[in-house]
Amino acid sequence: MSKRKIMGYYHKDNVLLDGLIYCLFLGGMVLCFLLPRLLFKMEPTDFSCTRSIEGVECMLIRKSQFLKPTEIKIHNPVVVDINNCHREDIFGKHYYDPHCYGSSSAEIRSKGVSYKIKIYGGSDSHKVNSIAREINEFLLSSNASSFHKRF
């Protein structure tokens, strides 16, 4: 790289090459941030349950744009809980988890399983409560043979 001093300012000979490198670097950074969002963009989730003599079985199908759909079978679901990121420390004090950023989620529990499966989550708590209420109505008080919800 050669620099020449012209009237007190330095003049660089290959400014076009430096500009091209800068544009390629900036384009690569933008692509690194946008590509995962485009590839893993979630499409609507299907949640369906069927009631039979053996009990209730639910199927959660999550689809993304370019990946194979994820299917989760839930045997003998009990209830859907709302997780508003309320946590309790060892002294019984309640607080909000700072990692949740104001979002809430609907999580389903099943008999014989110690963990919960997240069905839906987002910052719109009214929508999360509505989805949980609809599923709980089917699980707890309905006699319908099947249930389907797309969200």
Side-chain angles (χ1 to χ4, degrees):
M1 287 191 221
S2 64
K3 293 182 180 181
R4 293 178 292 166
K5 193 168 187 176
I6 301 173
M7 295 192 319
Y9 294 103
Y10 285 100
H11 176 71
K12 200 170 189 179
D13 291 336
N14 54 358
V15 175
L16 182 63
L17 182 62
D18 287 347
L20 180 64
I21 291 171
Y22 176 75
C23 287
L24 287 174
F25 178 74
L26 186 62
M29 292 298 292
V30 169
L31 188 63
C32 285
F33 286 115
L34 292 180
L35 191 61
R37 292 179 188 224
L38 293 174
L39 285 178
F40 302 113
K41 180 181 175 186
M42 296 300 286
E43 294 181 2
T45 299
D46 288 319
F47 183 80
S48 58
C49 294
T50 55
R51 194 181 308 270
S52 66
I53 297 171
E54 293 86 27
V56 179
E57 181 177 275
C58 295
M59 176 76 77
L60 179 67
I61 302 173
R62 292 187 177 125
K63 300 174 189 172
S64 63
Q65 207 164 20
F66 297 108
L67 299 175
K68 184 177 155 185
T70 303
E71 296 180 0
I72 301 171
K73 285 187 181 181
I74 304 160
H75 300 284
N76 299 319
V78 178
V79 69
V80 176
D81 296 324
I82 304 294
N83 182 359
N84 289 326
C85 295
H86 288 259
R87 301 288 187 249
E88 185 176 331
D89 62 10
I90 59 172
F91 303 109
K93 183 179 176 186
H94 293 276
Y95 65 96
Y96 284 99
D97 189 355
H99 300 293
C100 292
Y101 303 109
S103 65
S104 58
S105 62
E107 300 172 340
I108 193 164
R109 287 188 286 152
S110 180
K111 289 181 184 174
V113 179
S114 61
Y115 57 90
K116 299 176 185 178
I117 297 172
K118 181 178 175 181
I119 296 174
Y120 181 79
S123 59
D124 185 2
S125 63
H126 296 295
K127 186 171 183 180
V128 173
N129 287 332
S130 171
I131 289 171
R133 186 173 42 253
E134 287 182 51
I135 297 171
N136 280 335
E137 284 177 10
F138 171 76
L139 292 175
L140 302 174
S141 62
S142 174
N143 290 328
S145 61
S146 66
F147 173 81
H148 180 78
K149 179 79 176 167
R150 176 173 276 180
F151 42 85

